[in-house]
Amino acid sequence: MTILKELHWIAIDWGSSNLRVWALDNNNAILDSISSNDGMLGLVTSEFEPLLFERISKWGVRDVKIPILCCGMVGAKQGWVEAPYASVPYNLTQEVDSVKVSFSDDRLNVRILGGLRQDNPADVMRGEETQIRGFLSISSNFDGIICLPGTHTKWVHVSAGEVISFRTFMSGELFDLLSKYSVLKHSVKSDGWNDKEFKSAVSESISNPQKIFSDFFKLRADHLLKQVGQSILRSKLSGYIIGAELAGAKPYWLGQNVVILGNNNLSKIYKTALEAQGIFAQEVDATECTLNGLARAFSLITGRH
Amino acid sequence: MTILKELHWIAIDWGSSNLRVWALDNNNAILDSISSNDGMLGLVTSEFEPLLFERISKWGVRDVKIPILCCGMVGAKQGWVEAPYASVPYNLTQEVDSVKVSFSDDRLNVRILGGLRQDNPADVMRGEETQIRGFLSISSNFDGIICLPGTHTKWVHVSAGEVISFRTFMSGELFDLLSKYSVLKHSVKSDGWNDKEFKSAVSESISNPQKIFSDFFKLRADHLLKQVGQSILRSKLSGYIIGAELAGAKPYWLGQNVVILGNNNLSKIYKTALEAQGIFAQEVDATECTLNGLARAFSLITGRH
């Protein structure tokens, strides 16, 4: 059995659709990592423990008391163990909330980080708070807006280490539903991209977000009547949706210092959309932020500040 | 073999999801009817003919040259035979466009009515024009707006028998996708209805359509954090979507004479939403309009005005 000699702790990002696990030494350097599509949505409560320990068995963690820290949807009510939401405002540089998973075998030591909640307007995040924590572990004095594009895009107001308020937009999920399951699916079936059409759709939709449901159908009609190409229509669909989101999120980004925390592709699209509104956002890498956030939370929990 | 002695012609509404067939005498009185879920979306071109003649075989139409007239998605490119779109403005009281289905057996006589197209902004309808034709066959002097709620809701400006312009909103399809397939599905799973919550969501969304994508997620958060009931959340989801549609369709209905042409349930919802904006719309029954529209088109085609 291979045991990683320098293994100090294990960081886990366990989301709805994916599982990512990092083996880290005591300087948080990565010794090994695992990535799979064993997302929380495909698992029932009893499956988390055996699945995790099967995946990391090569590191020999059943034999030594290695601390494991998880973030993400694994802490949802339908996940492994529910990790309650903490309320905003919440100081990510000083506070940390987590729950311990209980095992009959006390050599195991697994904690799950809680998400954040906002009561008015009601909103929640689970996983993104760890990414923001990671960003703040590098840029502790950041004051402004963090946009986290994704299935449920978050716009987060951060000041002096605190999450002050946030709003979630279902834009990514809407794009997926419309492009995969709606009458538009044949009209937007393409891997191509047209930046000019995207930007013009963003701008139309920011100015007239109320037209979005008829703009959607217009894509279908443009395809039927004018044979407009699918890569153009896909770019416009994305533009209409992100434009309507930007219209709704305007109180967040207008005149603000904006950071986009996400994966390359989607971040670039949001950056393009914001630039057309005169906002020059900084991009930071989501995976790096996740790992840094887990490391920062681990330090706070273990008292190694 | 039973042959309906008084059978003069057959009217067919063949849509995406349903097939409805009426056997009519020479005064357009209904002798018999058939309804099934053999919608056009589930069929390939070669299946329309055998399916139809199997369904109506009890009327003996293979043995006598009975005229058959169809409307709806059966005339789409992916349907039985493509019936081209006619351009608006289009006079439904005087004009009719249809294509003849060709058979080796010349005793068969099947025609499919074409839809309507608008070039700018690009839009199409297929089936609704027949319902409007039916409405105009009774109310020939109507001048105003016809709203046809459905998967793809249409707002149609009609004057002096002509369709002047129209816009399609994907509201119904969006409601279906969100309530069946999105993260909201558990939060809106209910058969209940709350008119007050619906109306307040309509009004919020008309005033702030740009907030729609965050309003959607707020439903999820209200369910998670405040245990708001599913019938309330379902009513609000419907209200947000219809409110945003009404915001976009305002140039159509504001200060106008509005008729809602649809089925009972959905018409009532739109009527409620419009009443809250001071518009008291008349409801007309969609099935009646469809049959009247097919009858009117049949008269125009056969010259029996």
Side-chain angles (χ1 to χ4, degrees), chain A residues 233-261:
Chain A
L233 296 172
R234 186 178 184 84
S235 309
K236 288 180 86 164
L237 175 61
S238 176
Y240 287 139
I241 292 177
I242 291 178
E245 176 185 331
L246 289 187
K250 205 182 251 182
Y252 274 84
W253 55 261
L254 193 68
Q256 294 294 320
N257 182 20
V258 178
V259 161
I260 302 172
L261 193 167

PDB file of all heavy atoms in Angstrom, chain A residues 233-261:
ATOM      1  N   LEU A 233     -26.456  32.465 -34.010  1.00  0.00           N
ATOM      2  CA  LEU A 233     -27.641  32.401 -33.147  1.00  0.00           C
ATOM      3  C   LEU A 233     -27.267  31.982 -31.728  1.00  0.00           C
ATOM      4  O   LEU A 233     -27.838  32.486 -30.754  1.00  0.00           O
ATOM      5  CB  LEU A 233     -28.674  31.443 -33.756  1.00  0.00           C
ATOM      6  CG  LEU A 233     -29.235  31.919 -35.114  1.00  0.00           C
ATOM      7  CD1 LEU A 233     -30.107  30.841 -35.745  1.00  0.00           C
ATOM      8  CD2 LEU A 233     -30.025  33.223 -34.957  1.00  0.00           C
ATOM      9  N   ARG A 234     -26.298  31.066 -31.601  1.00  0.00           N
ATOM     10  CA  ARG A 234     -25.843  30.651 -30.276  1.00  0.00           C
ATOM     11  C   ARG A 234     -25.197  31.833 -29.536  1.00  0.00           C
ATOM     12  O   ARG A 234     -25.455  32.065 -28.360  1.00  0.00           O
ATOM     13  CB  ARG A 234     -24.838  29.515 -30.405  1.00  0.00           C
ATOM     14  CG  ARG A 234     -24.422  28.912 -29.083  1.00  0.00           C
ATOM     15  CD  ARG A 234     -23.458  27.740 -29.290  1.00  0.00           C
ATOM     16  NE  ARG A 234     -23.136  27.099 -28.040  1.00  0.00           N
ATOM     17  CZ  ARG A 234     -23.888  26.162 -27.473  1.00  0.00           C
ATOM     18  NH1 ARG A 234     -24.976  25.762 -28.059  1.00  0.00           N
ATOM     19  NH2 ARG A 234     -23.533  25.629 -26.323  1.00  0.00           N
ATOM     20  N   SER A 235     -24.389  32.598 -30.249  1.00  0.00           N
ATOM     21  CA  SER A 235     -23.732  33.758 -29.637  1.00  0.00           C
ATOM     22  C   SER A 235     -24.781  34.789 -29.213  1.00  0.00           C
ATOM     23  O   SER A 235     -24.661  35.433 -28.164  1.00  0.00           O
ATOM     24  CB  SER A 235     -22.749  34.402 -30.623  1.00  0.00           C
ATOM     25  OG  SER A 235     -21.890  33.420 -31.163  1.00  0.00           O
ATOM     26  N   LYS A 236     -25.812  34.960 -30.047  1.00  0.00           N
ATOM     27  CA  LYS A 236     -26.865  35.922 -29.706  1.00  0.00           C
ATOM     28  C   LYS A 236     -27.681  35.446 -28.511  1.00  0.00           C
ATOM     29  O   LYS A 236     -28.034  36.238 -27.637  1.00  0.00           O
ATOM     30  CB  LYS A 236     -27.796  36.154 -30.917  1.00  0.00           C
ATOM     31  CG  LYS A 236     -27.129  36.964 -32.020  1.00  0.00           C
ATOM     32  CD  LYS A 236     -28.047  37.182 -33.207  1.00  0.00           C
ATOM     33  CE  LYS A 236     -28.912  38.409 -32.999  1.00  0.00           C
ATOM     34  NZ  LYS A 236     -29.541  38.857 -34.283  1.00  0.00           N
ATOM     35  N   LEU A 237     -27.983  34.139 -28.464  1.00  0.00           N
ATOM     36  CA  LEU A 237     -28.725  33.615 -27.311  1.00  0.00           C
ATOM     37  C   LEU A 237     -27.947  33.908 -26.028  1.00  0.00           C
ATOM     38  O   LEU A 237     -28.499  34.415 -25.037  1.00  0.00           O
ATOM     39  CB  LEU A 237     -28.956  32.101 -27.459  1.00  0.00           C
ATOM     40  CG  LEU A 237     -29.616  31.413 -26.254  1.00  0.00           C
ATOM     41  CD1 LEU A 237     -31.002  31.985 -25.969  1.00  0.00           C
ATOM     42  CD2 LEU A 237     -29.720  29.891 -26.466  1.00  0.00           C
ATOM     43  N   SER A 238     -26.647  33.605 -26.058  1.00  0.00           N
ATOM     44  CA  SER A 238     -25.803  33.896 -24.899  1.00  0.00           C
ATOM     45  C   SER A 238     -25.813  35.396 -24.586  1.00  0.00           C
ATOM     46  O   SER A 238     -25.926  35.802 -23.422  1.00  0.00           O
ATOM     47  CB  SER A 238     -24.383  33.398 -25.184  1.00  0.00           C
ATOM     48  OG  SER A 238     -23.525  33.752 -24.133  1.00  0.00           O
ATOM     49  N   GLY A 239     -25.724  36.211 -25.620  1.00  0.00           N
ATOM     50  CA  GLY A 239     -25.708  37.661 -25.441  1.00  0.00           C
ATOM     51  C   GLY A 239     -27.007  38.194 -24.840  1.00  0.00           C
ATOM     52  O   GLY A 239     -26.983  39.039 -23.940  1.00  0.00           O
ATOM     53  N   TYR A 240     -28.141  37.702 -25.331  1.00  0.00           N
ATOM     54  CA  TYR A 240     -29.423  38.162 -24.779  1.00  0.00           C
ATOM     55  C   TYR A 240     -29.519  37.825 -23.290  1.00  0.00           C
ATOM     56  O   TYR A 240     -29.959  38.630 -22.475  1.00  0.00           O
ATOM     57  CB  TYR A 240     -30.602  37.504 -25.517  1.00  0.00           C
ATOM     58  CG  TYR A 240     -30.842  38.032 -26.914  1.00  0.00           C
ATOM     59  CD1 TYR A 240     -31.170  37.161 -27.961  1.00  0.00           C
ATOM     60  CD2 TYR A 240     -30.764  39.392 -27.200  1.00  0.00           C
ATOM     61  CE1 TYR A 240     -31.400  37.642 -29.253  1.00  0.00           C
ATOM     62  CE2 TYR A 240     -30.987  39.868 -28.489  1.00  0.00           C
ATOM     63  CZ  TYR A 240     -31.302  38.990 -29.509  1.00  0.00           C
ATOM     64  OH  TYR A 240     -31.529  39.460 -30.777  1.00  0.00           O
ATOM     65  N   ILE A 241     -29.104  36.597 -22.947  1.00  0.00           N
ATOM     66  CA  ILE A 241     -29.224  36.158 -21.554  1.00  0.00           C
ATOM     67  C   ILE A 241     -28.268  36.941 -20.657  1.00  0.00           C
ATOM     68  O   ILE A 241     -28.659  37.466 -19.612  1.00  0.00           O
ATOM     69  CB  ILE A 241     -28.970  34.635 -21.446  1.00  0.00           C
ATOM     70  CG1 ILE A 241     -30.121  33.877 -22.123  1.00  0.00           C
ATOM     71  CG2 ILE A 241     -28.824  34.218 -19.995  1.00  0.00           C
ATOM     72  CD1 ILE A 241     -29.947  32.364 -22.156  1.00  0.00           C
ATOM     73  N   ILE A 242     -27.013  37.057 -21.083  1.00  0.00           N
ATOM     74  CA  ILE A 242     -26.044  37.776 -20.241  1.00  0.00           C
ATOM     75  C   ILE A 242     -26.380  39.267 -20.194  1.00  0.00           C
ATOM     76  O   ILE A 242     -26.219  39.920 -19.162  1.00  0.00           O
ATOM     77  CB  ILE A 242     -24.599  37.500 -20.715  1.00  0.00           C
ATOM     78  CG1 ILE A 242     -24.264  36.026 -20.412  1.00  0.00           C
ATOM     79  CG2 ILE A 242     -23.591  38.430 -20.038  1.00  0.00           C
ATOM     80  CD1 ILE A 242     -22.896  35.567 -20.851  1.00  0.00           C
ATOM     81  N   GLY A 243     -26.904  39.802 -21.289  1.00  0.00           N
ATOM     82  CA  GLY A 243     -27.325  41.204 -21.289  1.00  0.00           C
ATOM     83  C   GLY A 243     -28.442  41.456 -20.281  1.00  0.00           C
ATOM     84  O   GLY A 243     -28.406  42.437 -19.520  1.00  0.00           O
ATOM     85  N   ALA A 244     -29.425  40.556 -20.258  1.00  0.00           N
ATOM     86  CA  ALA A 244     -30.529  40.721 -19.296  1.00  0.00           C
ATOM     87  C   ALA A 244     -29.997  40.571 -17.874  1.00  0.00           C
ATOM     88  O   ALA A 244     -30.419  41.283 -16.955  1.00  0.00           O
ATOM     89  CB  ALA A 244     -31.637  39.705 -19.573  1.00  0.00           C
ATOM     90  N   GLU A 245     -29.045  39.660 -17.677  1.00  0.00           N
ATOM     91  CA  GLU A 245     -28.434  39.529 -16.352  1.00  0.00           C
ATOM     92  C   GLU A 245     -27.700  40.814 -15.961  1.00  0.00           C
ATOM     93  O   GLU A 245     -27.855  41.309 -14.837  1.00  0.00           O
ATOM     94  CB  GLU A 245     -27.454  38.354 -16.333  1.00  0.00           C
ATOM     95  CG  GLU A 245     -26.728  38.255 -14.997  1.00  0.00           C
ATOM     96  CD  GLU A 245     -25.649  37.176 -14.963  1.00  0.00           C
ATOM     97  OE1 GLU A 245     -25.768  36.176 -15.681  1.00  0.00           O
ATOM     98  OE2 GLU A 245     -24.683  37.369 -14.201  1.00  0.00           O
ATOM     99  N   LEU A 246     -26.920  41.350 -16.897  1.00  0.00           N
ATOM    100  CA  LEU A 246     -26.184  42.595 -16.586  1.00  0.00           C
ATOM    101  C   LEU A 246     -27.146  43.742 -16.281  1.00  0.00           C
ATOM    102  O   LEU A 246     -26.865  44.586 -15.421  1.00  0.00           O
ATOM    103  CB  LEU A 246     -25.246  42.972 -17.735  1.00  0.00           C
ATOM    104  CG  LEU A 246     -24.014  42.077 -17.935  1.00  0.00           C
ATOM    105  CD1 LEU A 246     -23.099  42.683 -18.993  1.00  0.00           C
ATOM    106  CD2 LEU A 246     -23.250  41.874 -16.634  1.00  0.00           C
ATOM    107  N   ALA A 247     -28.282  43.767 -16.971  1.00  0.00           N
ATOM    108  CA  ALA A 247     -29.289  44.794 -16.660  1.00  0.00           C
ATOM    109  C   ALA A 247     -29.758  44.641 -15.220  1.00  0.00           C
ATOM    110  O   ALA A 247     -29.893  45.618 -14.479  1.00  0.00           O
ATOM    111  CB  ALA A 247     -30.464  44.700 -17.635  1.00  0.00           C
ATOM    112  N   GLY A 248     -29.998  43.402 -14.806  1.00  0.00           N
ATOM    113  CA  GLY A 248     -30.467  43.154 -13.437  1.00  0.00           C
ATOM    114  C   GLY A 248     -29.379  43.350 -12.394  1.00  0.00           C
ATOM    115  O   GLY A 248     -29.663  43.743 -11.254  1.00  0.00           O
ATOM    116  N   ALA A 249     -28.133  43.083 -12.779  1.00  0.00           N
ATOM    117  CA  ALA A 249     -27.018  43.176 -11.829  1.00  0.00           C
ATOM    118  C   ALA A 249     -26.362  44.551 -11.835  1.00  0.00           C
ATOM    119  O   ALA A 249     -25.367  44.772 -11.137  1.00  0.00           O
ATOM    120  CB  ALA A 249     -25.970  42.101 -12.151  1.00  0.00           C
ATOM    121  N   LYS A 250     -26.931  45.474 -12.588  1.00  0.00           N
ATOM    122  CA  LYS A 250     -26.318  46.805 -12.729  1.00  0.00           C
ATOM    123  C   LYS A 250     -25.996  47.477 -11.394  1.00  0.00           C
ATOM    124  O   LYS A 250     -24.919  48.062 -11.242  1.00  0.00           O
ATOM    125  CB  LYS A 250     -27.212  47.714 -13.581  1.00  0.00           C
ATOM    126  CG  LYS A 250     -26.459  48.835 -14.272  1.00  0.00           C
ATOM    127  CD  LYS A 250     -27.407  49.731 -15.069  1.00  0.00           C
ATOM    128  CE  LYS A 250     -27.225  49.535 -16.551  1.00  0.00           C
ATOM    129  NZ  LYS A 250     -28.088  50.425 -17.348  1.00  0.00           N
ATOM    130  N   PRO A 251     -26.892  47.392 -10.400  1.00  0.00           N
ATOM    131  CA  PRO A 251     -26.551  48.005  -9.107  1.00  0.00           C
ATOM    132  C   PRO A 251     -25.256  47.424  -8.536  1.00  0.00           C
ATOM    133  O   PRO A 251     -24.606  48.059  -7.708  1.00  0.00           O
ATOM    134  CB  PRO A 251     -27.742  47.640  -8.212  1.00  0.00           C
ATOM    135  CG  PRO A 251     -28.866  47.337  -9.149  1.00  0.00           C
ATOM    136  CD  PRO A 251     -28.240  46.787 -10.389  1.00  0.00           C
ATOM    137  N   TYR A 252     -24.891  46.211  -8.946  1.00  0.00           N
ATOM    138  CA  TYR A 252     -23.636  45.621  -8.467  1.00  0.00           C
ATOM    139  C   TYR A 252     -22.423  46.186  -9.200  1.00  0.00           C
ATOM    140  O   TYR A 252     -21.458  46.616  -8.576  1.00  0.00           O
ATOM    141  CB  TYR A 252     -23.680  44.079  -8.561  1.00  0.00           C
ATOM    142  CG  TYR A 252     -24.321  43.475  -7.332  1.00  0.00           C
ATOM    143  CD1 TYR A 252     -25.698  43.362  -7.237  1.00  0.00           C
ATOM    144  CD2 TYR A 252     -23.560  43.075  -6.240  1.00  0.00           C
ATOM    145  CE1 TYR A 252     -26.297  42.844  -6.101  1.00  0.00           C
ATOM    146  CE2 TYR A 252     -24.144  42.559  -5.091  1.00  0.00           C
ATOM    147  CZ  TYR A 252     -25.514  42.455  -5.016  1.00  0.00           C
ATOM    148  OH  TYR A 252     -26.092  41.973  -3.889  1.00  0.00           O
ATOM    149  N   TRP A 253     -22.462  46.178 -10.546  1.00  0.00           N
ATOM    150  CA  TRP A 253     -21.214  46.459 -11.277  1.00  0.00           C
ATOM    151  C   TRP A 253     -21.019  47.909 -11.697  1.00  0.00           C
ATOM    152  O   TRP A 253     -19.884  48.335 -11.931  1.00  0.00           O
ATOM    153  CB  TRP A 253     -21.073  45.540 -12.494  1.00  0.00           C
ATOM    154  CG  TRP A 253     -22.222  45.556 -13.476  1.00  0.00           C
ATOM    155  CD1 TRP A 253     -23.243  44.650 -13.547  1.00  0.00           C
ATOM    156  CD2 TRP A 253     -22.469  46.499 -14.533  1.00  0.00           C
ATOM    157  NE1 TRP A 253     -24.113  44.967 -14.569  1.00  0.00           N
ATOM    158  CE2 TRP A 253     -23.655  46.090 -15.192  1.00  0.00           C
ATOM    159  CE3 TRP A 253     -21.800  47.646 -14.991  1.00  0.00           C
ATOM    160  CZ2 TRP A 253     -24.185  46.791 -16.280  1.00  0.00           C
ATOM    161  CZ3 TRP A 253     -22.333  48.349 -16.077  1.00  0.00           C
ATOM    162  CH2 TRP A 253     -23.516  47.920 -16.710  1.00  0.00           C
ATOM    163  N   LEU A 254     -22.104  48.683 -11.771  1.00  0.00           N
ATOM    164  CA  LEU A 254     -21.967  50.031 -12.343  1.00  0.00           C
ATOM    165  C   LEU A 254     -20.985  50.894 -11.541  1.00  0.00           C
ATOM    166  O   LEU A 254     -21.174  51.123 -10.352  1.00  0.00           O
ATOM    167  CB  LEU A 254     -23.338  50.714 -12.414  1.00  0.00           C
ATOM    168  CG  LEU A 254     -23.398  51.984 -13.268  1.00  0.00           C
ATOM    169  CD1 LEU A 254     -23.207  51.671 -14.741  1.00  0.00           C
ATOM    170  CD2 LEU A 254     -24.732  52.706 -13.055  1.00  0.00           C
ATOM    171  N   GLY A 255     -19.948  51.337 -12.198  1.00  0.00           N
ATOM    172  CA  GLY A 255     -18.944  52.195 -11.556  1.00  0.00           C
ATOM    173  C   GLY A 255     -18.111  51.487 -10.503  1.00  0.00           C
ATOM    174  O   GLY A 255     -17.463  52.138  -9.673  1.00  0.00           O
ATOM    175  N   GLN A 256     -18.112  50.153 -10.508  1.00  0.00           N
ATOM    176  CA  GLN A 256     -17.409  49.400  -9.468  1.00  0.00           C
ATOM    177  C   GLN A 256     -16.140  48.743  -9.989  1.00  0.00           C
ATOM    178  O   GLN A 256     -15.928  48.595 -11.188  1.00  0.00           O
ATOM    179  CB  GLN A 256     -18.335  48.309  -8.901  1.00  0.00           C
ATOM    180  CG  GLN A 256     -19.535  48.833  -8.147  1.00  0.00           C
ATOM    181  CD  GLN A 256     -19.152  49.550  -6.865  1.00  0.00           C
ATOM    182  OE1 GLN A 256     -18.252  49.115  -6.153  1.00  0.00           O
ATOM    183  NE2 GLN A 256     -19.813  50.669  -6.589  1.00  0.00           N
ATOM    184  N   ASN A 257     -15.347  48.331  -9.009  1.00  0.00           N
ATOM    185  CA  ASN A 257     -14.159  47.537  -9.217  1.00  0.00           C
ATOM    186  C   ASN A 257     -14.614  46.072  -9.293  1.00  0.00           C
ATOM    187  O   ASN A 257     -15.088  45.530  -8.300  1.00  0.00           O
ATOM    188  CB  ASN A 257     -13.267  47.794  -7.990  1.00  0.00           C
ATOM    189  CG  ASN A 257     -11.960  47.077  -8.058  1.00  0.00           C
ATOM    190  OD1 ASN A 257     -11.531  46.682  -9.131  1.00  0.00           O
ATOM    191  ND2 ASN A 257     -11.331  46.911  -6.892  1.00  0.00           N
ATOM    192  N   VAL A 258     -14.499  45.448 -10.489  1.00  0.00           N
ATOM    193  CA  VAL A 258     -15.076  44.109 -10.670  1.00  0.00           C
ATOM    194  C   VAL A 258     -13.993  43.052 -10.931  1.00  0.00           C
ATOM    195  O   VAL A 258     -13.102  43.259 -11.757  1.00  0.00           O
ATOM    196  CB  VAL A 258     -16.092  44.086 -11.838  1.00  0.00           C
ATOM    197  CG1 VAL A 258     -16.652  42.685 -12.062  1.00  0.00           C
ATOM    198  CG2 VAL A 258     -17.225  45.082 -11.587  1.00  0.00           C
ATOM    199  N   VAL A 259     -14.093  41.951 -10.209  1.00  0.00           N
ATOM    200  CA  VAL A 259     -13.254  40.779 -10.448  1.00  0.00           C
ATOM    201  C   VAL A 259     -14.161  39.660 -10.958  1.00  0.00           C
ATOM    202  O   VAL A 259     -15.248  39.450 -10.424  1.00  0.00           O
ATOM    203  CB  VAL A 259     -12.549  40.339  -9.150  1.00  0.00           C
ATOM    204  CG1 VAL A 259     -12.054  38.899  -9.245  1.00  0.00           C
ATOM    205  CG2 VAL A 259     -11.398  41.281  -8.837  1.00  0.00           C
ATOM    206  N   ILE A 260     -13.704  38.960 -12.005  1.00  0.00           N
ATOM    207  CA  ILE A 260     -14.447  37.788 -12.474  1.00  0.00           C
ATOM    208  C   ILE A 260     -13.697  36.540 -12.035  1.00  0.00           C
ATOM    209  O   ILE A 260     -12.537  36.342 -12.399  1.00  0.00           O
ATOM    210  CB  ILE A 260     -14.600  37.780 -14.005  1.00  0.00           C
ATOM    211  CG1 ILE A 260     -15.306  39.061 -14.470  1.00  0.00           C
ATOM    212  CG2 ILE A 260     -15.396  36.555 -14.462  1.00  0.00           C
ATOM    213  CD1 ILE A 260     -15.320  39.235 -15.973  1.00  0.00           C
ATOM    214  N   LEU A 261     -14.367  35.740 -11.224  1.00  0.00           N
ATOM    215  CA  LEU A 261     -13.748  34.541 -10.670  1.00  0.00           C
ATOM    216  C   LEU A 261     -14.435  33.352 -11.320  1.00  0.00           C
ATOM    217  O   LEU A 261     -15.599  33.055 -11.020  1.00  0.00           O
ATOM    218  CB  LEU A 261     -13.954  34.562  -9.147  1.00  0.00           C
ATOM    219  CG  LEU A 261     -13.172  33.614  -8.257  1.00  0.00           C
ATOM    220  CD1 LEU A 261     -13.300  34.031  -6.794  1.00  0.00           C
ATOM    221  CD2 LEU A 261     -13.549  32.170  -8.443  1.00  0.00           C
TER     222      LEU A 261
END
